[in-house]
Amino acid sequence: MQSVDQQRGNRTHATGGRGRALADLTAGLALAVGVVAATWRLLGLPASYVALGLGMYGAFAVVLLWSFPPGAPGPGMGPANRVTLGRALLALPVFALSVHPGGLGTEGLWWVIVLSTLVLLLDGVDGRVARGTGSESTFGARFDMELDAALLMALSLLTWRSGKVGPWVLLIGLLRYAFVAAGWAWPALRAELPPSLRRKAVCVAQGVVLLVALGPIIPVWAAGVAAGGGLVALIYSFAVDVRWALREGAAAPSA
């Protein structure tokens, strides 16, 4: 059993790690207010949009603090996680717009495209920073992956709500969550997948095709073709991963 001093030390260690994360999240609040307020002003949205956006940031901060590992390298959340946090803050207005009632209009669609393009262009920078600073971590990889998945879900919702593509486009955002849910029924699907250039390329392609489909100058038929092609590629990629996971699970020796 651990001594009282050891237990106290563990609690201090955990508190210190979350305290460092809290400092970065508090600083990030200023940027969150800035991008949400700029979106509200630019698009002439009701005040409820600001409340929604900042509420989302508060929920995000609570989840991140709860899951932040105490032993993560600093300062703050660490250089790579700070980059990912910056990407999340740029995506925050997009998340809020995806569930806020009301249409976007041409100006709103272009604003979503600009913000999302910045988030996509910065994808991979956090990984390079992590490798360059020796601060790679399981938490950082998960943080990056969950942000990408959430952005695809938001863009899928916005593409559907634009009226240019049918509700089937939501599958682009939902497939990853369906895969995670299926892991509860088939434990083999919870196995860690090997690194895959195909998987990364298909993920990036989903963001690109959704932004193309959202483009105000893109005709309805072209939006459908772009989104449909992306969905086919995504289904294929998931099928490859499911097949690998089930085959590896069947080959693994039973306990």
Side-chain angles (χ1 to χ4, degrees):
M1 294 180 62
Q2 290 184 326
S3 67
V4 173
D5 288 341
Q6 287 176 319
Q7 293 174 355
R8 186 181 297 115
N10 289 340
R11 287 194 297 270
T12 302
H13 186 49
T15 303
R18 292 197 175 103
R20 290 188 289 107
L22 180 60
D24 280 347
L25 288 167
T26 302
L29 178 60
L31 180 54
V33 171
V35 293
V36 169
T39 302
W40 166 71
R41 182 69 181 271
L42 178 67
L43 304 184
L45 297 167
S48 58
Y49 172 78
V50 177
L52 175 62
L54 296 183
M56 282 185 164
Y57 184 74
F60 159 75
V62 169
V63 171
L64 194 145
L65 278 175
W66 178 78
S67 58
F68 189 75
M77 293 174 60
N81 290 328
R82 281 175 168 174
V83 174
T84 310
L85 176 61
R87 292 179 62 226
L89 290 169
L90 287 173
L92 181 61
V94 180
F95 297 151
L97 286 170
S98 70
V99 296
H100 192 269
L104 283 180
T106 300
E107 193 174 39
L109 290 173
W110 282 122
W111 183 236
V112 165
I113 290 170
V114 168
L115 290 175
S116 301
T117 299
L118 288 173
V119 176
L120 291 174
L121 287 175
L122 290 171
D123 190 19
V125 172
D126 38 17
R128 288 194 292 272
V129 170
R131 290 187 291 272
T133 58
S135 57
E136 294 174 281
S137 68
T138 302
F139 171 82
R142 182 67 179 270
F143 186 12
D144 180 65
M145 180 177 63
E146 295 297 344
L147 172 59
D148 292 341
L151 181 62
L152 289 183
M153 189 69 252
L155 291 176
S156 297
L157 278 166
L158 287 167
T159 302
W160 171 49
R161 292 179 58 191
S162 73
K164 299 171 71 175
V165 183
W168 55 264
V169 75
L170 297 176
L171 288 172
I172 291 179
L174 289 171
L175 271 178
R176 189 260 170 178
Y177 296 106
F179 181 82
V180 172
W184 293 102
W186 294 283
L189 297 181
R190 299 203 297 266
E192 183 176 354
L193 297 170
S196 168
L197 182 59
R198 176 259 311 157
R199 191 183 309 117
K200 293 178 181 177
V202 169
C203 180
V204 171
Q206 302 314 302
V208 173
V209 299
L210 288 171
L211 292 181
V212 168
L214 275 173
I217 62 175
I218 302 299
V220 171
W221 69 266
V225 169
L231 179 57
V232 169
L234 187 62
I235 291 173
Y236 166 76
S237 183
F238 271 105
V240 172
D241 287 339
V242 168
R243 181 173 180 269
W244 178 90
L246 294 178
R247 185 172 57 191
E248 290 296 306
S254 58

